[in-house]
Amino acid sequence: MKTKNWKHLMKLFVLTAAVSVVAAGCGSPNNAGNAKQANSGNAAAPAEAVTISLGLLPSIDAIPFIIAHEQGFDKQHHVNLDIQTFKSAKDRDVAFQAGKVDGLSADLVAISIYNEAGLDVKITSTTTGEFDLLTGNDEVKEVKDLKGKTVILSKNTSTQYTVAMMLKQAGLTEDDITVTEVPQIPTRLELLKNNKADAAVLPEPFVTMGSSAGLRVLSSTHSAGINPFVLAFPQSAIEAKGQGIRDMYAAYDEAVNYMKTHDQSEYIDLIIKEVGYPDTLKNEIKVPEYLPANQVDVKEVEAAFVWAREKGLLTKELSAEEVISDVQFKK
C-alpha cells in the first residue's frame, strides 16, 4: 500500500475513531508462505500449508476462527491460521498497513473508508458480530422512546450507523436524539450504569456485563436485521493466497459445525479468554448460533455506503459490487 494512501486513511480515522475493546494483546506474525518443500527422489513432497494471518478484535465474530485453529481444523485443510488479536481497531489497522496481517475483521463503514483512501480492500464474507442498544432508563421501553434522549456511541463508525438504522426502523432519525461520543466501550458501560445517558451501543462482553447489572436491551443488530460485520482482504492478498483463503473458510465452516455438535461447556473457557468475559458471568454467556460463512448482501453494502456518503466519509463513485470479492463465493 502506498504511504500517501495510508496517511489519507489515518486522517480519516481521526474523524472515525473505531470501536476499541479490552482483551488480549497483539500476536506475532508468522512468515510462512506459499513455498513448496523440496522434492525427494522422484516423489514430490507436499506443499507447505499456506499461512493466512488475520487481524481480529477480541469479539464474538472471532470465535469460529480461533476454534478452527485451536482444534486444528486449519491444518486439516492445509492452511495455517495465524490469528493476531488486537486491543483496538487502530492497532489492527496499523498492523494491516505494515503488512503484518493478510486480512482483518472489519465493518461496512470501515470498508468505505479504506476504499475512499485508495486502498483496494475487498469483502470476502460476512462474520457473526453483534452490537446491542442498551438502556437503564425505565421510561425507555422501545427504540422510539429515545426521541429527545441521549445516546452514547462512537461517531462516524459502524456503531453510529447501527443506531441510525435502528432509529429509522422506529420512525425516527439521528436528529431526534442527542449523541454523546465516547469511543471507549468500558466507559460507555459505566456512564450508562450511572445514568449519565439514556442508552448506549455496546458489543459483547459488555452487553452481558450490562445486562447482569440491570440494563435492558432495546435492540440489536441481530433483531434489527442489520449486519455490518465482514472479513476483508486487500486484492493483492486475494490474488496471492486465493486457495489459502478458500481453505481458511473450509476450516471456519468446520469450526461452526463443531460448536453446533458440542456442548458449550467444551469451549466456553476459550471464549471467556479470547473475548474477555468475566469468569463470574460464565453461566450467563449465550454463544451465538453461528452459520457457515456466506457472502455479504449487496443491499447491506449499498445501505452502509449511502450513510457513509451522507456523513462525508465516502465521496468516490464506488459500487457495492466493486468491493465484494468472489474468491470464495461466486457473484
Side-chain angles (χ1 to χ4, degrees):
M1 300 177 190
K2 295 181 179 180
T3 302
K4 65 179 183 180
N5 286 339
W6 181 248
K7 289 181 178 178
H8 185 190
L9 178 61
M10 292 306 292
K11 288 179 181 178
L12 284 170
F13 268 104
V14 169
L15 298 174
T16 58
V19 175
S20 176
V21 288
V22 177
C26 305
S28 299
N30 187 324
N31 293 321
N34 213 355
K36 294 185 178 180
Q37 295 177 349
N39 291 344
S40 176
N42 294 324
E48 290 184 8
V50 174
T51 293
I52 301 293
S53 53
L54 297 177
L56 306 178
L57 297 177
S59 57
I60 60 173
D61 56 352
I63 295 303
F65 294 104
I66 293 170
I67 287 181
H69 182 63
E70 291 291 328
Q71 293 295 323
F73 299 144
D74 55 346
K75 300 296 191 299
Q76 291 175 22
H77 289 279
H78 210 62
V79 63
N80 176 42
L81 290 184
D82 173 23
I83 296 173
Q84 302 180 37
T85 306
F86 298 94
K87 294 181 180 179
S88 71
K90 181 180 178 180
D91 291 340
R92 175 206 62 194
D93 288 330
V94 169
F96 180 49
Q97 184 271 338
K100 293 183 178 180
V101 295
D102 296 313
L104 70 167
S105 59
D107 59 73
L108 296 178
V109 174
I111 294 298
S112 71
I113 293 171
Y114 293 143
N115 283 278
E116 173 72 12
L119 307 178
D120 191 8
V121 179
K122 300 290 179 63
I123 299 167
T124 56
S125 74
T126 61
T127 60
T128 305
E130 185 172 335
F131 289 143
D132 286 29
L133 184 61
L134 279 74
T135 184
N137 186 338
D138 292 336
E139 296 179 357
V140 179
K141 307 296 185 183
E142 303 176 62
V143 174
K144 66 180 182 180
D145 298 330
L146 288 175
K147 186 172 184 178
K149 299 294 194 295
T150 301
V151 179
I152 302 174
L153 47 76
S154 182
K155 289 184 178 180
N156 296 331
T157 67
S158 57
T159 58
Q160 186 179 7
Y161 168 69
T162 294
V163 170
M165 297 301 101
M166 291 176 176
L167 291 172
K168 183 178 180 180
Q169 292 179 9
L172 302 177
T173 70
E174 292 180 76
D175 292 334
D176 289 318
I177 64 170
T178 299
V179 170
T180 298
E181 182 171 21
V182 180
Q184 299 80 9
I185 297 172
T187 305
R188 285 186 222 165
L189 177 58
E190 289 306 310
L191 290 172
L192 192 57
K193 286 166 58 178
N194 288 288
N195 302 313
K196 301 299 183 182
D198 299 295
V201 183
L202 299 169
E204 290 289 7
F206 300 94
V207 173
T208 298
M209 293 164 66
S211 297
S212 69
L215 301 178
R216 293 176 289 107
V217 175
L218 292 173
S219 184
S220 70
T221 48
H222 180 71
S223 63
I226 307 164
N227 186 18
F229 309 102
V230 298
L231 194 73
F233 286 81
Q235 182 61 32
S236 57
I238 292 171
E239 292 172 357
K241 297 185 176 183
Q243 185 58 50
I245 292 171
R246 288 186 285 273
D247 293 338
M248 173 199 73
Y249 279 117
Y252 178 97
D253 287 349
E254 194 160 345
V256 168
N257 185 62
Y258 171 87
M259 285 186 281
K260 286 182 178 180
T261 56
H262 289 71
D263 191 87
Q264 182 172 304
S265 61
E266 296 184 40
Y267 55 85
I268 193 64
D269 288 338
L270 179 64
I271 291 179
I272 288 173
K273 174 185 175 183
E274 297 296 338
V275 179
Y277 286 96
D279 192 64
T280 54
L281 299 180
K282 187 173 185 176
N283 295 328
E284 299 179 39
I285 300 171
K286 295 180 180 178
V287 178
E289 292 186 11
Y290 292 96
L291 297 174
N294 58 90
Q295 188 51 283
V296 67
D297 187 332
V298 171
K299 292 181 179 179
E300 288 268 9
V301 183
E302 290 173 343
F305 281 12
V306 167
W307 183 85
R309 287 191 177 92
E310 290 174 353
K311 297 299 177 183
L313 304 175
L314 180 61
T315 63
K316 288 185 175 180
E317 289 297 325
L318 185 68
S319 69
E321 288 81 0
E322 289 178 87
V323 299
I324 298 176
S325 171
D326 63 357
V327 65
Q328 171 70 10
F329 307 102
K330 295 299 180 182
K331 296 180 182 177

